Amino acid sequence: MSPAEQQSAANRPAKTSAELLATPVKFIKGVGPARGELLERLGLKTARDVLFFFPRDYQDLTDMRSIADLEEDKLLSVRGVVEEVELRSTGIGRSMLGVLIRQDRLYLRALWFNQPYMREKFTRSQDVLLSGKAALRGGRWEMAHPRVQWIDPDEEAPAGQMLPIYPLTEGLRQGNLRGIVREALEAYVDLLDEVFPETYLQAKNLWPLRQALREVHFPANPTNLAQAQLRFVYQELFILQLALAVKRHGQETQAGAPKLEATPRVDARIRRLFPFELTAGQDAAIREIAADMNRPIPMNRLLHGEVGSGKTVVAVYAMLLAVAHGYQAVLMAPTEVLARQHARTLAQLLAESRVRIGLLTGALVGRDREELLGRIGRGELDVVVGTQAIVRSEAEFAKLGLVVIDEQHKFGVRQRAMLRQAGSNPESGRGLSAISPSPSTGEGRREGVAQQKGTVPLSPANPHCLIMTATPIPRTITMTLYGDLDISKLADLPAGRQNIHTYLVRPEERPKWWDFFRKKLREGRQAFVVVPLVEESETVATANLEATFEELAHGELEAFRLGLVHGRMPPEEKDAAMQEFRAGQTQVLVATSVVEVGIDVPNATLMTIAGAERFGLAQLHQMRGRISRGAHPGYCAVFAEVESEEVIERLQAFVDTTDGFRLSELDLEMRGPGNLFGTRQHGLPPFRMADLGRDSTVAKEARDDAKRLVASDPGLRQPEHEKLRRMVLSRYGQALDLGDVG
Ligand code: ADP
Ligand code: MG
């Protein structure tokens, strides 16, 4: 605040709640300028920021025990003195840290696996407070990976409560932060406004904001904590779902699309082009798409099907439906290679028809490009295949009826919005400004967008939109991150595909597996050996891979020609190694991850995945997909380095399940969403508290609730929804292009 501003603030009779909540952190009691700077390093600038600085964890001290009273399988806390610290190596990159804790004459051993850095946190005769589940092993108490609190010897152990654990920065201790948060709660929490209408909170049995905030920082017990967290998780997911529902509603009500009917005659003419019977899944997807396109509102559909499930044919059907009605269609691929492949497939399929196809990628430049753009603009091309270059090219379509985007996961929500705009008509309304604060700014913005993109779309209406992806994504995630889309699923693969046999090979059976592996190689097949990238340092990982390579080259696979591919290789070397493998000069390719290898080799039907527990199930599934391309059945073996019960259970699920979607759901249940399904890669701000793995039930509920609310108040214009509307706009207005945030 400048002195002048301070002056004027002082002259005013009283500050508003919003102004008070914007108080700089250094003015919070007990902070001051020095600590204020430390807080800023944590991203905390104002009192409000501190209130919403959620603990990353808690230490549950509600059940303090003496070692004599320990019980198994219960969350307990124990205070004691560090007696002995021992770090042992248990294999390459593995370790076990044992910390012996004494309480009078009784002992408890705390254990940490593969966290050698914990060693430095303990010194002898320190007082510590441990929380966790104890287990009796060989007559001695152990606690694996307990929470720890280091305390002064004369300090009274905080008991009977749950202590928040905050993210820290150098120079700031947990105790400091706890004090600061307490002060902030005391002074500011009552200034916060509730977002939800009172009746809504009651109906949903959600805690009011202030109560939830107090308990999320200092929960009285685990039950209260769960209630408090639920309130924020629900709010977070609900606001996102509201944003998606508003966007969707806008698209459906305001933007007109051409009504393209699949009459029996059109349908028969299209199907005649396909050289095979469609699968039941393809037929169902086509029915859904045809129904969408037969409405005067734009289709927004995600076609979700595993690699090889035959999505292209479905897309071709939709494109030809548009063409049959005199409209143009666009097919966008994430890479140049895929775009070319699509163009080839289409050209073959449509060789007998009069459909005119163009290919527009970044590689097309100069006169050729001008010429192609001209033909698109004059409506002399029916189907345009290409990459993102289409969006950037200022292509003006004469009459665009359909946009198909292949491999959606490479395109974020924002690119999707841009694409639609590229083919949309400004006159028909953007549909998304429904909740924009004032119609006049909405108007100005519309022009701005058109200028910025350099497009003056000429189509008479908005195009339909079909998005395709092969990434196995769990339902909760699709529902959340693609909440603005309808979904069709291709669950079945076309008949006649080769099976893949998958085995979990335990150490004692490995010699037998390698025997089989060699036999198949001698029959002429090729193989992948996948080694996970386990180390933090890429140098170490590469060394690991090279060691494995040497081991195989001088051991199990001595008699065969081996190739090596990893991320650190210069591109030419990588290409060369790939080329040799494709040409059959090398028989076995040892690689960090086959995903990286990228290209399909039909003769490769064998795969050994070492350290398989390091990969997610969906990822394993995608790797295994590489060996189902040819005329021979595939054989995939997974080895685990660490064969814990949990690992065996997970890998057994992989062996037993061939459905990628099911595996992705299992992944989510067992490992949580991690960054695999992060919101950020979809162009959305990250969640602060929601976890799509844990909170799938809440996510579903929030979605249903949001749909209902938007159906009754599409622009969130009712006074009791004002705060929700502001929140939706400030959080997702930009990412989802909902209109001017003002
Ligand atoms: P993806 O879903 O991975 O894009 P594609 O559309 O590329 O799959 O199809 C994979 C292969 O399966 C292609 O060679 C395609 O011609 C073939 N295919 C698609 N549908 C069928 C079908 N119904 N019967 C037989 N083969 C099919
Ligand atoms: Mg495809």
Side-chain angles (χ1 to χ4, degrees):
M1 223 188 268
S2 74
E5 279 169 332
Q6 265 173 6
Q7 186 66 37
S8 75
N11 285 346
R12 253 177 276 154
K15 288 192 181 185
T16 64
S17 295
E19 284 166 341
L20 285 167
L21 285 164
T23 304
V25 280
K26 65 179 171 199
F27 295 128
I28 297 174
K29 207 163 138 201
V31 178
R35 272 198 190 146
E37 262 173 47
L38 294 176
L39 290 179
E40 287 213 21
R41 238 185 267 163
L42 289 169
L44 309 176
K45 295 197 176 67
T46 64
R48 176 194 289 275
D49 294 341
V50 174
L51 292 179
F52 285 96
F53 187 58
F54 294 134
R56 66 171 169 78
D57 207 347
Y58 300 85
Q59 187 164 11
D60 185 350
L61 303 178
T62 46
D63 196 353
M64 288 285 288
R65 296 284 179 106
S66 79
I67 291 178
D69 298 332
L70 286 180
E71 285 175 77
E72 285 200 314
D73 273 338
K74 266 195 182 161
L75 186 56
L76 308 168
S77 298
V78 173
R79 180 181 180 160
V81 178
V82 175
E83 190 75 13
E84 197 180 284
V85 187
E86 185 194 21
L87 179 63
R88 275 197 294 138
S89 164
T90 52
I92 299 172
R94 339 213 111 246
S95 66
M96 188 180 85
L97 173 68
V99 178
L100 193 66
I101 307 290
R102 183 179 55 82
Q103 192 187 64
D104 301 325
R105 290 163 60 197
L106 297 172
Y107 292 91
L108 163 75
R109 185 179 299 277
L111 295 171
W112 282 268
F113 297 97
N114 308 322
Q115 298 185 2
Y117 52 85
M118 288 296 290
R119 166 73 191 81
E120 288 148 42
K121 305 199 173 184
F122 294 95
T123 44
R124 276 202 57 163
S125 357
Q126 237 174 4
D127 266 58
V128 290
L129 202 53
L130 303 179
S131 304
K133 285 185 180 166
L136 204 50
R137 293 253 158 71
R140 293 198 310 186
W141 284 106
E142 289 184 354
M143 208 182 251
H145 294 213
R147 308 271 157 79
V148 195
Q149 165 111 328
W150 289 267
I151 43 183
D152 295 334
D154 46 352
E155 189 179 318
E156 190 71 31
Q161 49 173 309
M162 297 188 73
L163 280 185
I165 300 174
Y166 295 98
L168 288 180
T169 186
E170 175 117 23
L172 216 53
R173 286 179 298 123
Q174 286 298 344
N176 303 142
L177 257 174
R178 287 180 192 135
I180 293 166
V181 172
R182 257 188 219 290
E183 288 297 339
L185 282 172
E186 191 76 21
Y188 298 96
V189 81
D190 288 330
L191 298 171
L192 287 170
D193 272 338
E194 181 55 69
V195 188
F196 291 104
E198 171 77 35
T199 47
Y200 195 88
L201 288 176
Q202 275 168 9
K204 298 299 301 179
N205 198 15
L206 289 172
W207 275 10
L209 176 63
R210 297 170 193 175
Q211 182 189 1
L213 257 189
R214 280 199 192 92
E215 291 274 344
V216 94
H217 286 292
F218 298 101
N221 54 52
T223 318
N224 281 18
L225 174 60
Q227 265 296 322
Q229 284 175 326
L230 175 66
R231 138 96 210 200
F232 292 109
V233 167
Y234 179 85
Q235 177 175 327
E236 202 161 33
L237 294 169
F238 183 67
I239 296 292
L240 170 60
Q241 291 297 343
L242 270 186
L244 292 166
V246 163
K247 181 178 161 86
R248 203 191 152 99
H249 186 89
Q251 281 163 354
E252 290 189 348
T253 50
Q254 294 205 345
K259 190 169 171 309
L260 309 170
E261 191 186 356
T263 60
R265 213 171 77 92
V266 168
D267 179 78
R269 254 172 44 206
I270 298 175
R271 282 174 190 262
R272 234 190 355 247
L273 295 169
F274 300 146
F276 34 64
E277 282 284 302
L278 296 185
T279 65
Q282 285 170 327
D283 262 326
I286 284 174
R287 263 198 306 279
E288 287 166 343
I289 288 167
D292 284 355
M293 291 176 67
N294 194 23
R295 298 189 308 167
I297 52 181
M299 165 168 74
N300 268 305
R301 189 168 284 277
L302 177 74
L303 177 60
H304 203 174
E306 288 203 40
V307 175
S309 58
K311 293 184 290 297
T312 317
V313 165
V314 177
V316 169
Y317 186 100
M319 292 194 287
L320 293 181
L321 182 52
V323 174
H325 288 271
Y327 281 86
Q328 294 169 299
V330 160
L331 174 56
M332 291 232 330
T335 66
E336 181 111 19
V337 174
L338 269 173
R340 284 179 194 287
Q341 190 179 304
H342 277 318
R344 259 198 313 272
T345 309
L346 282 173
Q348 277 165 13
L349 219 49
L350 304 179
E352 304 296 307
S353 76
R354 277 169 304 174
V355 178
R356 298 157 299 179
I357 307 169
L359 176 65
L360 176 52
T361 69
L364 191 71
V365 292
R367 287 272 296 277
D368 292 345
R369 184 185 196 82
E370 291 306 311
E371 146 95 31
L372 190 81
L373 289 175
R375 295 177 65 201
I376 292 174
R378 292 189 299 274
E380 293 165 14
L381 287 176
D382 305 303
V383 171
V384 180
V385 183
T387 54
Q388 281 217 20
I390 296 178
V391 188
R392 286 193 297 264
S393 69
E394 306 172 17
E396 295 170 13
F397 286 86
K399 215 178 165 192
L400 186 59
L402 172 71
V403 174
V404 181
I405 308 176
D406 196 13
E407 296 307 337
Q408 146 70 16
H409 62 286
K410 304 255 166 66
F411 296 101
V413 178
R414 204 173 308 190
Q415 282 96 324
R416 231 156 69 202
M418 265 172 65
L419 237 193
R420 265 194 215 112
Q421 276 157 24
S424 74
N425 180 357
E427 295 314 307
S428 62
R430 301 188 345 95
L432 312 180
S433 45
I435 60 171
S436 171
S438 91
S440 61
T441 54
E443 213 57 45
R445 198 174 120 64
R446 226 173 270 168
E447 275 172 32
V449 166
Q451 268 163 18
Q452 190 189 323
K453 304 278 185 291
T455 49
V456 186
L458 296 176
S459 49
N462 284 326
H464 294 285
C465 187
L466 176 67
I467 289 153
M468 310 198 287
T469 183
T471 313
I473 313 166
R475 251 197 44 245
T476 326
I477 308 274
T478 345
M479 190 174 81
T480 306
L481 298 180
Y482 305 109
D484 58 331
L485 304 173
D486 293 306
I487 296 170
S488 295
K489 205 161 134 178
L490 291 184
D492 45 350
L493 296 184
R497 282 298 151 77
Q498 287 299 342
N499 283 333
I500 303 180
H501 306 277
T502 308
Y503 312 94
L504 170 58
V505 181
R506 313 298 287 262
E508 63 275 15
E509 297 158 346
R510 288 183 193 162
K512 242 176 70 194
W513 165 255
W514 288 119
D515 275 342
F516 175 77
F517 200 86
R518 287 187 290 261
K519 176 170 152 266
K520 288 286 162 193
L521 288 175
R522 279 193 293 268
E523 285 172 14
R525 305 286 79 75
Q526 288 171 282
F528 296 103
V529 175
V530 185
V531 183
L533 237 163
V534 290
E535 311 297 328
E536 262 101 88
S537 132
E538 213 175 331
T539 321
V540 178
T542 308
N544 248 0
L545 181 71
E546 278 162 0
T548 308
F549 179 84
E550 291 302 321
E551 228 173 271
L552 289 171
H554 297 107
E556 303 290 359
L557 302 177
E558 200 171 21
F560 301 92
R561 297 183 303 276
L562 271 53
L564 181 68
V565 167
H566 61 77
R568 273 235 158 157
M569 273 180 166
E572 317 85 71
E573 271 180 51
K574 207 152 120 184
D575 284 351
M578 276 311 310
Q579 192 47 46
E580 280 170 24
F581 185 62
R582 208 174 311 136
Q585 288 154 343
T586 44
Q587 294 164 287
V588 181
L589 196 63
V590 182
T592 37
S593 115
V594 187
V595 182
E596 221 172 51
V597 176
I599 289 157
D600 297 324
V601 179
N603 190 42
T605 59
L606 294 164
M607 181 174 283
T608 303
I609 306 176
E613 76 275 19
R614 305 277 186 156
F615 295 107
L617 296 179
Q619 208 184 351
L620 287 171
H621 182 69
Q622 285 193 312
M623 292 183 193
R624 150 170 88 175
R626 300 271 161 202
I627 54 169
S628 64
R629 312 258 121 192
H632 301 276
Y635 299 93
C636 175
V638 289
F639 294 0
E641 264 166 42
V642 183
E643 299 201 313
S644 71
E645 216 170 290
E646 181 250 319
V647 163
I648 298 296
E649 188 195 338
R650 232 162 54 78
L651 292 180
Q652 195 57 47
F654 171 63
V655 169
D656 295 339
T657 315
T658 52
D659 177 347
F661 294 106
R662 179 73 201 117
L663 287 172
S664 73
E665 310 249 349
L666 285 175
D667 251 351
L668 188 62
E669 278 166 34
M670 294 173 167
R671 306 206 322 169
N675 44 20
L676 210 63
F677 307 113
T679 46
R680 215 169 269 167
Q681 75 201 65
H682 295 271
L684 296 175
F687 291 132
R688 304 193 57 177
M689 200 175 271
D691 169 332
L692 292 177
R694 183 192 59 195
D695 302 320
S696 62
T697 319
V698 186
K700 169 129 185 31
E701 194 180 321
R703 175 180 161 95
D704 295 345
D705 295 345
K707 274 186 170 169
R708 251 196 309 277
L709 191 95
V710 169
S712 74
D713 181 13
L716 303 180
R717 287 295 182 188
Q718 287 165 24
E720 70 268 31
H721 298 149
E722 168 63 20
K723 293 214 185 60
L724 288 172
R725 178 171 151 270
R726 280 218 307 264
M727 205 151 195
V728 165
L729 280 173
S730 80
R731 193 147 175 80
Y732 295 106
Q734 232 182 11
L736 293 181
D737 197 15
L738 292 175
D740 212 319
V741 184

